[in-house]
């Protein structure tokens, strides 16, 4: 596999750091070098969260340069648009179809962009933009907190790493009493991407 630079973005409380930790462990288990780093907003819950994950035969730095992201994984739509300038030309953006208006929108000083605006912003760089109804599907599985595993399932379709390695790493990180539901979410994410030609 050639180098892959992945940026996972969203809000505090969505499980992004855990998801990016597992992604790093999966890549290590598959024999790649990995570097990652996280930046958290002012408040852990509801603040902006960004995880840089770089995978290759050898990685020298955890930070991805602007314009070099291969795969943007956004847990919230506005966060996808906010970080779109990190995408390289022809890259892929996987976006959870959830909008959580920030305080400025709630106060009426700013407008939350429409889906078309967000998609147009992403398509300035991305060759393909995939919206997934991750929040809705995670709720249908019985727990919104499984959204991060659903998004990891989407990511797994992008990387040529055996699915058993993904499931082994998830099993090692999650408690047995919540594992079944989270595995169902992971499989749901893979199913979401099954019709997309992402490689």
């Amino acid at each position: 596999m050639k180098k892959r630079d992945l940026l996972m973005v969203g809000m505090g409380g969505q499980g992004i750091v855990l998801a990016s930790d597992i992604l790093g462990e999966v890549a290590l288990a598959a024999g790649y070098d990995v570097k990652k780093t996280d930046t958290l907003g002012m408040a852990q819950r509801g603040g902006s969260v960004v995880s840089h994950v770089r995978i290759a035969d050898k990685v020298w730095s955890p930070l991805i340069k602007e314009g070099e992201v291969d795969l943007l994984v956004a847990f919230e739509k506005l966060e996808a648009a906010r970080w779109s300038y990190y995408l390289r030309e022809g890259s892929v953006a996987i976006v959870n179809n959830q909008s959580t208006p920030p305080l400025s929108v709630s106060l009426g000083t700013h407008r939350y962009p429409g889906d078309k605006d967000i998609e147009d912003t992403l398509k300035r760089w991305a060759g393909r933009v995939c919206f997934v109804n991750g929040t809705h599907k995670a709720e249908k599985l019985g727990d919104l907190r499984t959204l991060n595993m659903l998004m990891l399932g989407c990511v797994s379709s992008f990387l040529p790493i055996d699915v058993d390695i993904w499931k082994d790493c998830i099993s090692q990180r999650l408690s047995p009493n919540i594992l079944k539901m989270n595995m169902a979410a992971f499989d749901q994410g893979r199913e979401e991407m099954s019709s997309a030609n992402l490689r």
Side-chain angles (χ1 to χ4, degrees), residues 143-155:
D143 194 332
L144 178 58
R145 291 174 294 180
T146 62
L147 172 65
N148 58 351
M149 292 304 114
L150 189 146
M151 297 303 282
L152 266 188
C154 295
V155 173

